[in-house]
Amino acid sequence: MSEINKHDCFVLLEAFKQYLYAEDTSRNTTSAYLSDLSRFLNWYIQTIASFDLDGVTPTDIRDYPEHLQEKAPPLAPATINRRLAALRRFFSWTKENGYTENQPIERIRNVETTDHGPKSLDRKQWHRLQRGVEQAKGNRGVRDRCIVLLLYHTGLRVGELAALLLSDLTLGERSGHVQVRRGKGNKSRKVPLNAEARSAIREYLKVRPSNEGPSLLVGQRGEPLSAHAIYDVVVKYGHRAGLEDVTPHTLRHTFARALIASGAPLSDVVDLLGHSSLDTTRIYTKASETDLAAVVARLEER
């Protein structure tokens, strides 16, 4: 592709934004990706003097995090890695759609960081969130409680929950499960439903309109509830509980951490979360290692 101007950059970013929305990427993540890409483009134009999409090289990509680390003040490693993640997603999309022939970031590694694992809720925070959603009024409140409890007790991705059909549910007196037909990578899996999740679903089904199509979760007008709408529900109750940055992914991480803390084998956690490998799931053990280190450190205080 030849050198492109600011208008072409805008059109390209707009097309990428529509792709992210089509992939059920959250609004916050989409906004962060676009902001990070704009920063990279500005840096590239100021440094290289012109922008040629096919001309971006691995050397350019390596120079970018070095530039961010040399800023005053330097950016945190987690922030730099997030910007690299935006570039990976963007250049993967440009190659798949024929905008570029190469993938300049394919072999670029993240900068080193101290990883304490993904953010999750502790027991007190979860109880605050749970109390808030239980106080919600009306049929919508019953539905919202079902959403929050299902995410917390199953670890489903927000897109997976939005895609659930009534026929994907199996509810028994002492057991039940949801069938995730198309998880990440088009993998299917069954996720058990504990008593609290089954109860929340049953309460919701009592108030759910019976003639509103096959989707489990529906909006006020009977339309299937989108991943964005589910995301907003969780964020709303997080704010009401005085908790910052509570999202469906936070509840997924909380579910995973609870499984690890209960002694569940890592292979079982992989299956329940729908991960492709043990390596992806091992990030949830980081917090436990940190907690153990803190326990040992407290011995010094005694």
Side-chain angles (χ1 to χ4, degrees):
M1 178 178 286
S2 60
E3 181 178 319
I4 58 179
N5 56 33
K6 290 184 178 179
H7 174 73
D8 292 327
C9 285
F10 174 80
V11 172
L12 194 63
L13 291 180
E14 181 64 23
F16 181 61
K17 180 175 75 172
Q18 296 307 317
Y19 157 76
L20 292 175
Y21 282 152
E23 292 290 305
D24 278 340
T25 306
S26 74
R27 295 178 187 177
N28 283 2
T29 300
T30 298
S31 177
Y33 277 179
L34 294 175
S35 177
D36 291 341
L37 285 170
S38 295
R39 289 189 176 97
F40 171 76
L41 290 174
N42 287 333
W43 168 82
Y44 192 96
I45 291 171
Q46 292 172 6
T47 305
I48 312 299
S50 62
F51 185 69
D52 178 356
L53 195 56
D54 266 328
V56 179
T57 68
T59 299
D60 298 330
I61 302 294
R62 290 189 189 95
D63 288 345
Y64 185 54
E66 291 181 6
H67 156 73
L68 297 176
Q69 288 175 308
E70 292 169 357
K71 287 181 63 175
L75 294 184
T79 302
I80 296 173
N81 289 337
R82 190 198 69 196
R83 294 193 182 182
L84 290 176
L87 292 177
R88 287 190 187 92
R89 190 84 178 265
F90 175 72
F91 281 109
S92 176
W93 171 76
T94 59
K95 185 176 180 181
E96 288 176 3
N97 288 271
Y99 292 107
T100 56
E101 295 181 1
N102 302 315
Q103 235 288 27
I105 196 172
E106 193 168 20
R107 298 186 179 182
I108 305 299
R109 296 181 178 180
N110 283 350
V111 299
E112 293 186 3
T113 179
T114 302
D115 188 2
H116 297 293
K119 181 180 179 181
S120 60
L121 302 179
D122 60 30
R123 184 172 296 182
K124 289 183 179 180
Q125 290 171 327
W126 162 244
H127 286 162
R128 284 167 58 186
L129 181 64
Q130 189 177 23
R131 280 195 299 270
V133 76
E134 285 177 348
Q135 292 169 359
K137 305 295 184 181
N139 292 350
R140 182 188 289 186
V142 175
R143 184 204 65 191
D144 291 351
R145 179 174 181 271
C146 179
I147 288 172
V148 173
L149 288 179
L150 261 182
L151 289 168
Y152 176 78
H153 287 293
T154 64
L156 294 184
R157 299 177 177 93
V158 64
E160 294 171 345
L161 180 57
L164 281 186
L165 305 179
L166 292 170
S167 59
D168 294 326
L169 294 176
T170 298
L171 296 175
E173 287 299 320
R174 296 182 179 275
S175 64
H177 67 264
V178 293
Q179 179 72 47
V180 180
R181 290 169 287 107
R182 291 184 61 185
K184 197 169 184 179
N186 287 329
K187 294 173 61 179
S188 65
R189 70 186 190 280
K190 286 183 180 180
V191 181
L193 295 170
N194 62 19
E196 193 166 3
R198 296 197 305 275
S199 175
I201 293 172
R202 288 194 179 98
E203 291 301 311
Y204 167 62
L205 292 178
K206 291 177 183 177
V207 302
R208 180 192 180 279
S210 58
N211 59 344
E212 297 298 352
S215 295
L216 170 63
L217 298 172
V218 295
Q220 283 184 297
R221 300 176 183 176
E223 75 284 1
L225 212 60
S226 69
H228 291 308
I230 294 172
Y231 182 94
D232 288 343
V233 166
V234 176
V235 171
K236 176 179 70 175
Y237 287 100
H239 285 164
R240 288 186 182 181
L243 301 170
E244 294 296 325
D245 301 324
V246 177
T247 69
H249 241 60
T250 309
L251 299 181
R252 177 171 164 84
H253 297 327
T254 305
F255 172 76
R257 289 267 174 78
L259 292 175
I260 296 292
S262 69
L266 208 56
S267 57
D268 289 350
V269 182
V270 169
D271 291 339
L272 288 169
L273 293 176
H275 285 161
S276 58
S277 71
L278 286 171
D279 289 338
T280 307
T281 311
R282 283 196 178 97
I283 59 174
Y284 298 105
T285 67
K286 297 292 185 182
S288 297
E289 294 168 3
T290 303
D291 293 341
L292 288 174
V295 170
V296 174
R298 281 197 291 272
L299 292 176
E300 298 175 347
E301 301 170 3
R302 297 184 181 183

